[in-house]
Amino acid sequence: MAENKSQNDNSKLLAVLLFLGAGLLVLLSMGTETKSKNGPGAVTKTPTFEKSVNKHLMLTNEKMEFQRRRMEIENSASADFNRTKEQATYNPQDSGLDLSNDSRSAETAAMFGRGDREEGVPSNPHDVIQRELFNAEQDAAYSEAYKKEYARQFVENAAKGGYNVILDDQYRVRKVTPINRKPGTVDIFNSDGGAIQ
């Protein structure tokens, strides 16, 4: 940990020194500009000189950024990834809300017979088997009613589309015949899907 801190301090110090060096170069170039105006032997400021100063500043900035990123990568590589941080757990008292049931509403519902269904624990295996048989019978009746209604709607929709459909007792299509129409008529469907002739 102390080694990472010293490396981080060294990288910050290096960045500051590079920045100060670049600033010193800029100040020196500004000082030569004043000399060129004042004295005949001073260096004149040319476009190539400005380009080289700008290039030097850009390279210095890139080096500083590179050093900063390299230090970040080294610090993250040395971190223990298997270590977990502690997180606060949910505590219902912190929210300030009372999430418990209102006993008056439960009492009123129980009084009118609309409370929670309480299925007692079966006392013997016979009750368990009878309950499972009853549930299976109810599921089969529901499934049969669903299939029957679905088949009825299917035949009705086919008739609206211009076809007579005959189903067998297993709800499979046995015969499809088009409903006789006048030759040369074109079906136009309304928004409900029914044909308008």
Side-chain angles (χ1 to χ4, degrees):
M1 184 74 179
E3 182 179 305
N4 288 340
K5 189 172 183 178
S6 66
Q7 286 178 353
N8 196 11
D9 290 342
N10 288 342
S11 67
K12 287 180 181 177
L13 182 63
L14 178 64
V16 167
L17 288 175
L18 287 173
F19 187 72
L20 287 175
L24 185 62
L25 284 174
V26 169
L27 287 176
L28 287 175
S29 68
M30 292 172 78
T32 57
E33 179 181 318
T34 57
K35 287 180 184 178
S36 65
K37 290 180 181 176
N38 295 337
V43 177
T44 59
K45 190 173 182 182
T46 63
T48 56
F49 178 75
E50 288 179 5
K51 284 182 183 178
S52 65
V53 169
N54 288 340
K55 185 176 180 181
H56 177 71
L57 289 174
M58 185 177 69
L59 289 174
T60 304
N61 191 21
E62 286 177 357
K63 285 180 185 178
M64 289 172 35
E65 183 67 21
F66 175 74
Q67 287 289 348
R68 186 185 63 80
R69 287 189 181 186
R70 186 178 65 110
M71 293 306 294
E72 284 179 1
I73 291 171
E74 287 176 359
N75 288 340
S76 66
S78 64
D80 183 15
F81 289 109
N82 294 327
R83 185 181 61 207
T84 59
K85 296 178 183 176
E86 293 180 5
Q87 295 181 356
T89 58
Y90 172 73
N91 191 355
Q93 287 80 20
D94 293 343
S95 66
L97 296 175
D98 181 20
L99 302 176
S100 62
N101 289 338
D102 184 13
S103 62
R104 290 172 288 169
S105 64
E107 290 172 4
T108 306
M111 185 173 65
F112 288 111
R114 298 194 178 238
D116 295 332
R117 284 182 38 185
E118 296 179 10
E119 293 186 19
V121 177
S123 60
N124 58 27
H126 181 322
D127 292 341
V128 172
I129 292 170
Q130 290 301 319
R131 182 178 300 143
E132 287 180 4
L133 288 174
F134 176 75
N135 288 340
E137 186 178 308
Q138 291 293 325
D139 289 343
Y142 173 76
S143 178
E144 182 64 26
Y146 178 79
K147 288 178 185 177
K148 192 173 190 178
E149 178 61 22
Y150 185 83
R152 184 192 67 75
Q153 289 179 6
F154 177 76
V155 170
E156 184 180 304
N157 288 337
K160 286 180 183 177
Y163 292 96
N164 187 15
V165 178
I166 298 174
L167 303 175
D168 64 1
D169 58 346
Q170 298 296 317
Y171 304 108
R172 290 184 292 230
V173 176
R174 286 294 172 199
K175 187 176 180 183
V176 177
T177 56
I179 296 174
N180 293 334
R181 299 215 173 131
K182 296 177 187 174
T185 59
V186 178
D187 289 339
I188 301 172
F189 295 95
N190 61 14
S191 62
D192 296 335
I196 301 173
Q197 293 182 354

